[in-house]
Amino acid sequence: MAAATVDLTTLALVKSHSGITVATDDTLIQELITSVSTLFEGYCRRTLAQVASVNTIYRTVSGQKVIVLDEWPNATPIITEDSTALVNNTDYEILDDRRLVRISGDSDIEWTAGGKIDVTVHEGYATTPPDLNLACREQTLFAFQQTHPGGRRLGVTDRQSPTGSQETFTEYGLLPTVVATLDRYRRRF
């Protein structure tokens, strides 16, 4: 996985989200944004930032009504069935759980028996989805608090606080709310 080519949030949004008004730590915060963006792509096992490439998935199906995509497409994919271009919401639908269903009118129909299905998707998002942007801001601020003087060290997976409460983080040091967001974008394999 290559490093993120585009950060998933901006310095201005992180500062606005946190109420930081001074420029003292801008360099550190910007470095953390880039690190968190790269971490997110590694965790999700996919490109999240827009890049100039496409990925074509070839499938040969045999009378199936449903094809399960390996990941949620970043944009409406280009789908062909035996070299015939299909139209989203006319010839096929993409359901919330990454299932690709061939349709005709109001009915599900089978994909062409033995047919070759090409699914072409763009890598990355042209605009970072709002939930990813928010997760990047929150994780960046968490990392900033960890590296700022008086903060804790990054990489701690278990910690007893002075008040006796226990803190546990994921193997990546990601906040639980961030993991919940990223899991929606994570490639299954």
Side-chain angles (χ1 to χ4, degrees), residues 81-99:
E81 181 181 44
D82 292 328
S83 302
T84 301
L86 302 180
V87 178
N88 185 31
N89 294 326
T90 299
D91 299 315
Y92 70 91
E93 290 180 333
I94 301 173
L95 305 179
D96 288 338
D97 56 357
R98 301 179 229 188
R99 289 181 300 145

Side-chain angles (χ1 to χ4, degrees), residues 35 59 84 89 131 140:
S35 294
R59 301 268 172 103
T84 301
N89 294 326
D131 60 338
T140 298

Side-chain angles (χ1 to χ4, degrees), residues 4-150:
T5 56
V6 177
D7 292 333
L8 299 174
T9 193
T10 65
L11 177 63
L13 286 172
V14 169
K15 289 177 71 172
S16 174
H17 186 84
S18 67
I20 297 172
T21 57
V22 296
T24 310
D25 295 311
D26 283 3
T27 301
L28 172 60
I29 294 170
Q30 185 60 56
E31 289 171 355
L32 291 170
I33 290 169
T34 300
S35 294
V36 167
S37 296
T38 302
L39 175 68
F40 281 15
E41 288 192 346
Y43 180 85
C44 292
R45 300 183 203 121
R46 66 186 291 180
T47 301
L48 297 170
Q50 179 75 35
V51 294
S53 69
V54 295
N55 183 21
T56 302
I57 304 157
Y58 302 99
R59 301 268 172 103
T60 301
V61 297
S62 181
Q64 298 172 343
K65 285 190 175 183
V66 175
I67 297 173
V68 179
L69 300 175
D70 294 329
E71 62 187 71
W72 182 255
N74 298 344
T76 301
I78 300 167
I79 299 179
T80 60
E81 181 181 44
D82 292 328
S83 302
T84 301
L86 302 180
V87 178
N88 185 31
N89 294 326
T90 299
D91 299 315
Y92 70 91
E93 290 180 333
I94 301 173
L95 305 179
D96 288 338
D97 56 357
R98 301 179 229 188
R99 289 181 300 145
L100 192 61
V101 179
R102 184 76 162 87
I103 59 172
S104 178
D106 291 335
S107 302
D108 295 350
I109 62 172
E110 292 182 355
W111 295 90
T112 302
K116 179 182 168 203
I117 308 300
D118 299 340
V119 181
T120 304
V121 295
H122 290 276
E123 295 286 331
Y125 292 91
T127 304
T128 304
D131 60 338
L132 275 178
N133 186 297
L134 177 61
C136 189
R137 283 183 275 152
E138 290 175 347
Q139 189 67 39
T140 298
L141 289 170
F142 173 75
F144 177 70
Q145 292 169 350
Q146 304 306 301
T147 58
H148 199 268

Side-chain angles (χ1 to χ4, degrees), residues 150-164:
R152 298 177 302 242
R153 300 185 72 204
L154 289 174
V156 172
T157 57
D158 219 294
R159 177 180 168 224
Q160 185 83 22
S161 75
T163 62

